[in-house]
Amino acid sequence: MKKFFRERSYDMVKMFLNQFATAIFGVVLAIAAQKAENTVLRNLTSAFAVLFYLFLLYTMTWELGFKDRASVALGSRKRQPLTGLYISLCANIPNFVFAVFIMLAQLMNVELISAIGGFCATAAVLLEGMYTGLLTNTFMGAALHSYWWMFFIIILPALITCTVAYLLGLSDVKFTGLFNVQYPESDRDPKKKK
């Protein structure tokens, strides 16, 4: 486990920073759509922010899987198909912590925990800002962000995306031309050079 953190800490931090940057983008879009008082626009811009976030995660994690593919083929690294999931779980630790305190605040009637839960709910809405527009929709008479379980559910798309992307990268399966890796000149086949 210590080795995993040492090798993958940069990737975890990078993934978290991607989330933070996309969260700011999502909050700005949600505020703009709210000012326009257009629910459809708010939902569309929020969905776009979520998809953009997942795309960033996908490309990053696919590249990690593809890089690990060579090490696995050479035998210098053991094949670990859940690496993408583990990196995403670690990058989402703040989201899980916030979700737990939000849950405790809603399920327990303790003043200190309620205060911590309120702070965590505000921080979670900002840290997961790409979902802000979608979380303002109502379900059973209340906004989605008022339900503690929503803060666990919105973590799932990132976990699933990173798991699938890493596996696809590890298998060198591409859905688009976005992942055409350019090998260094020294690694290219000399017969194919022009």
Side-chain angles (χ1 to χ4, degrees):
M1 188 59 109
K2 187 177 178 182
K3 181 183 176 187
F4 180 80
F5 277 102
R6 190 174 63 247
E7 289 179 353
R8 302 296 185 168
S9 60
Y10 173 79
D11 301 322
M12 293 172 200
V13 170
K14 184 178 175 184
M15 194 174 283
F16 178 77
L17 291 176
N18 279 342
Q19 176 187 346
F20 186 73
T22 313
I24 293 170
F25 177 63
V27 168
V28 169
L29 289 176
I31 290 171
Q34 192 66 31
K35 293 258 185 211
E37 298 179 359
N38 189 329
T39 306
V40 174
L41 180 64
R42 186 192 67 219
N43 288 329
L44 287 175
T45 56
S46 186
F48 173 75
V50 170
L51 291 174
F52 182 66
Y53 167 60
L54 296 177
F55 175 77
L56 289 177
L57 290 180
Y58 185 89
T59 55
M60 177 192 162
T61 317
W62 189 95
E63 288 172 1
L64 290 175
F66 186 78
K67 287 177 186 174
D68 287 351
R69 174 183 163 81
S71 300
V72 169
L74 293 172
S76 61
R77 182 184 295 271
K78 185 179 172 188
R79 182 179 170 88
Q80 296 173 325
L82 295 180
T83 299
L85 174 63
Y86 298 149
I87 293 171
S88 185
L89 282 170
C90 292
N92 278 288
I93 286 174
N95 299 329
F96 281 113
V97 170
F98 291 153
V100 167
F101 277 109
I102 293 166
M103 176 186 70
L104 292 175
Q106 288 189 15
L107 298 179
M108 299 171 66
N109 193 12
V110 177
E111 189 175 327
L112 176 63
I113 293 177
S114 293
I116 294 170
F119 169 79
C120 289
T122 303
V125 168
L126 293 175
L127 187 58
E128 297 164 359
M130 65 290 284
Y131 291 97
T132 300
L134 295 174
L135 290 176
T136 56
N137 291 313
T138 57
F139 176 72
M140 292 180 13
L144 287 172
H145 60 76
S146 63
Y147 296 104
W148 62 265
W149 44 266
M150 277 306 300
F151 291 95
F152 287 99
I153 289 175
I154 61 177
I155 298 171
L156 293 177
L159 300 179
I160 294 166
T161 299
C162 290
T163 304
V164 171
Y166 184 83
L167 287 171
L168 292 174
L170 198 59
S171 303
D172 192 17
V173 175
K174 302 172 189 149
F175 286 131
T176 69
L178 294 173
F179 304 110
N180 288 336
V181 177
Q182 291 294 321
Y183 296 103
E185 193 67 36
S186 61
D187 293 345
R188 296 183 190 163
D189 186 357
K191 295 175 188 172
K192 293 183 180 178
K193 286 183 183 176
K194 293 182 179 179

